[in-house]
Coordinates of all heavy atoms in Angstrom, one line a residue:
Chain A
G913 N -2.3 1.0 -2.4 CA -2.0 1.7 -1.2 C -2.3 3.2 -1.3 O -2.9 3.8 -0.4
R914 N -1.8 3.8 -2.4 CA -1.9 5.3 -2.5 C -3.4 5.7 -2.7 O -3.8 6.7 -2.3 CB -1.0 5.8 -3.6 CG -0.9 7.3 -3.5 CD 0.3 7.9 -4.3 NE 0.4 9.3 -4.1 CZ 0.3 10.2 -5.1 NH1 0.3 9.8 -6.3 NH2 0.4 11.5 -4.8
Y917 N -5.1 5.5 0.6 CA -4.6 6.7 1.3 C -5.3 7.9 0.9 O -5.8 8.7 1.7 CB -3.1 6.8 1.1 CG -2.4 8.0 1.6 CD1 -2.0 8.0 3.0 CD2 -2.0 9.1 0.8 CE1 -1.4 9.1 3.5 CE2 -1.3 10.2 1.4 CZ -1.0 10.2 2.7 OH -0.3 11.2 3.2
K918 N -5.5 8.1 -0.4 CA -6.1 9.3 -0.9 C -7.6 9.3 -0.5 O -8.2 10.3 -0.1 CB -6.0 9.3 -2.5 CG -4.7 9.7 -3.0 CD -4.5 11.2 -2.8 CE -3.1 11.6 -3.2 NZ -2.7 12.9 -2.7
D929 N -1.6 13.9 -9.8 CA -0.2 13.6 -9.8 C 0.1 12.1 -9.8 O 1.3 11.7 -9.7 CB 0.5 14.3 -8.7 CG 0.1 13.9 -7.3 OD1 -0.6 12.9 -7.2 OD2 0.5 14.5 -6.3
M930 N -0.9 11.3 -9.9 CA -0.6 9.8 -10.1 C -0.1 9.6 -11.5 O 0.4 8.5 -11.8 CB -1.9 9.0 -9.8 CG -2.2 8.9 -8.3 SD -3.7 8.0 -8.0 CE -3.7 8.0 -6.2
Q932 N 2.3 9.6 -13.6 CA 3.7 9.7 -13.7 C 4.2 8.8 -14.8 O 3.7 7.7 -15.0 CB 4.3 9.4 -12.3 CG 3.9 10.3 -11.2 CD 4.4 11.8 -11.5 OE1 5.6 11.9 -11.9 NE2 3.6 12.7 -11.2
D934 N 6.6 6.7 -14.7 CA 6.9 5.3 -14.3 C 5.6 4.5 -14.0 O 5.6 3.3 -14.1 CB 7.8 5.3 -13.0 CG 7.2 6.0 -11.9 OD1 6.5 7.1 -12.1 OD2 7.3 5.6 -10.7
A935 N 4.6 5.2 -13.7 CA 3.3 4.5 -13.4 C 2.5 4.3 -14.6 O 1.7 3.3 -14.6 CB 2.5 5.3 -12.3
E966 N -2.6 17.4 -6.0 CA -2.6 16.3 -5.0 C -3.9 15.6 -4.7 O -4.0 14.6 -4.2 CB -2.0 16.8 -3.7 CG -0.5 16.9 -3.6 CD 0.0 17.2 -2.2 OE1 -0.2 16.3 -1.3 OE2 0.5 18.2 -2.0
G998 N 1.2 -0.4 8.1 CA 1.9 0.9 7.8 C 1.0 1.9 7.3 O 1.1 3.1 7.7
D1001 N -1.1 3.3 10.1 CA -0.4 4.2 10.9 C -0.4 5.6 10.4 O -0.7 6.6 11.1 CB 1.0 3.8 11.1 CG 1.1 2.7 12.2 OD1 0.2 2.5 13.0 OD2 2.2 2.0 12.3
I1002 N -0.1 5.7 9.1 CA 0.0 7.1 8.5 C -1.4 7.7 8.3 O -1.5 8.9 8.5 CB 0.8 7.1 7.2 CG1 0.3 6.2 6.1 CG2 2.3 6.8 7.4 CD1 1.1 6.1 4.8
D1005 N -2.6 8.8 11.9 CA -1.7 9.9 12.3 C -2.3 11.2 11.8 O -2.5 12.2 12.6 CB -0.3 9.7 11.7 CG 0.7 9.8 12.8 OD1 0.4 9.5 13.9 OD2 1.9 10.1 12.4
E1009 N -4.6 14.1 14.1 CA -4.1 15.5 14.1 C -5.2 16.5 13.7 O -5.4 17.5 14.3 CB -2.9 15.6 13.2 CG -1.8 16.5 13.6 CD -0.6 16.3 12.7 OE1 0.2 15.5 13.1 OE2 -0.5 17.1 11.7
Chain B
P718 N 10.3 7.1 -8.1 CA 10.5 8.6 -8.0 C 9.5 9.2 -7.1 O 8.3 9.2 -7.3 CB 10.3 9.0 -9.4 CG 10.6 7.8 -10.2 CD 10.1 6.6 -9.4
L720 N 7.2 11.9 -5.1 CA 6.5 13.2 -5.3 C 6.4 14.0 -4.1 O 6.4 15.3 -4.1 CB 5.1 12.9 -5.9 CG 5.0 12.1 -7.2 CD1 3.6 11.7 -7.4 CD2 5.5 12.9 -8.3
H721 N 6.1 13.4 -3.0 CA 5.9 14.1 -1.7 C 6.6 13.3 -0.6 O 6.6 12.1 -0.6 CB 4.4 14.1 -1.3 CG 3.6 14.6 -2.5 ND1 3.6 15.9 -2.9 CD2 2.6 14.0 -3.2 CE1 2.7 16.0 -3.9 NE2 2.1 14.9 -4.1
K723 N 6.3 14.0 3.5 CA 5.8 14.8 4.6 C 6.3 14.3 5.9 O 5.9 13.2 6.3 CB 4.2 14.7 4.5 CG 3.7 15.4 3.3 CD 2.2 15.2 3.1 CE 1.7 15.8 1.8 NZ 0.5 15.1 1.3
K725 N 6.8 14.4 10.1 CA 6.1 14.8 11.3 C 6.8 16.1 11.8 O 7.9 16.4 11.5 CB 6.1 13.7 12.3 CG 5.5 12.4 11.9 CD 4.0 12.6 11.5 CE 3.1 13.0 12.6 NZ 1.7 13.2 12.1
R731 N 7.9 9.8 19.2 CA 7.6 8.6 18.4 C 8.0 7.3 19.1 O 9.1 7.3 19.7 CB 8.2 8.6 17.0 CG 7.8 9.7 16.1 CD 6.5 9.4 15.3 NE 5.3 9.7 16.0 CZ 4.1 9.7 15.5 NH1 4.0 9.4 14.2 NH2 3.0 10.0 16.1
K735 N 6.9 3.7 14.6 CA 5.8 4.6 14.3 C 6.3 5.6 13.2 O 7.5 5.9 13.1 CB 5.3 5.3 15.5 CG 4.5 4.4 16.4 CD 3.2 4.0 15.8 CE 2.7 2.7 16.4 NZ 1.6 2.1 15.7
P736 N 5.4 6.1 12.3 CA 5.9 6.9 11.2 C 6.5 8.2 11.6 O 5.9 9.0 12.4 CB 4.6 7.1 10.4 CG 3.5 6.7 11.2 CD 4.0 5.8 12.3
T739 N 5.8 10.4 5.8 CA 5.0 9.7 4.8 C 5.6 10.0 3.4 O 5.7 11.2 3.1 CB 3.5 10.1 4.8 OG1 3.0 9.8 6.1 CG2 2.7 9.3 3.8
E741 N 5.3 9.5 -0.8 CA 4.4 9.2 -1.9 C 5.1 9.2 -3.3 O 5.9 10.2 -3.5 CB 3.3 10.1 -2.0 CG 2.3 10.1 -0.9 CD 1.2 11.1 -1.0 OE1 0.4 11.0 -2.0 OE2 1.2 12.1 -0.2
S742 N 4.9 8.2 -4.1 CA 5.4 8.2 -5.5 C 4.1 8.1 -6.3 O 3.0 8.2 -5.8 CB 6.4 7.2 -5.8 OG 5.8 5.9 -5.5
G743 N 4.2 7.9 -7.6 CA 3.0 7.8 -8.5 C 2.0 6.8 -8.0 O 0.8 7.2 -7.9
K744 N 2.4 5.6 -7.6 CA 1.4 4.6 -7.2 C 1.6 4.2 -5.7 O 0.8 3.4 -5.2 CB 1.5 3.4 -8.1 CG 0.8 3.6 -9.4 CD 0.7 2.3 -10.1 CE -0.1 2.5 -11.4 NZ -0.2 1.2 -12.2
Y745 N 2.7 4.6 -5.1 CA 3.0 4.1 -3.8 C 2.9 5.1 -2.7 O 3.2 6.3 -2.9 CB 4.5 3.5 -3.8 CG 5.0 3.2 -2.4 CD1 4.7 2.0 -1.8 CD2 5.8 4.1 -1.7 CE1 5.2 1.6 -0.6 CE2 6.3 3.8 -0.4 CZ 6.0 2.5 0.1 OH 6.4 2.2 1.4
V746 N 2.4 4.7 -1.5 CA 2.5 5.5 -0.4 C 2.9 4.6 0.8 O 2.5 3.5 0.8 CB 1.2 6.3 0.0 CG1 0.1 5.3 0.3 CG2 1.4 7.3 1.1
P748 N 4.9 4.6 5.1 CA 5.5 5.3 6.2 C 7.0 5.1 6.2 O 7.5 4.1 5.7 CB 4.9 4.7 7.4 CG 4.7 3.3 7.0 CD 4.4 3.3 5.5

Side-chain angles (χ1 to χ4, degrees):
Chain A
R914 193 164 182 236
Y917 175 78
K918 285 284 173 197
D929 67 8
M930 284 177 180
Q932 296 296 320
D934 61 322
E966 278 192 66
D1001 279 344
I1002 54 181
D1005 235 22
E1009 214 171 273
Chain B
L720 301 168
H721 311 291
K723 291 171 187 154
K725 298 303 295 179
R731 297 272 89 169
K735 289 293 158 191
T739 301
E741 290 178 67
S742 59
K744 281 191 173 177
Y745 170 82
V746 65

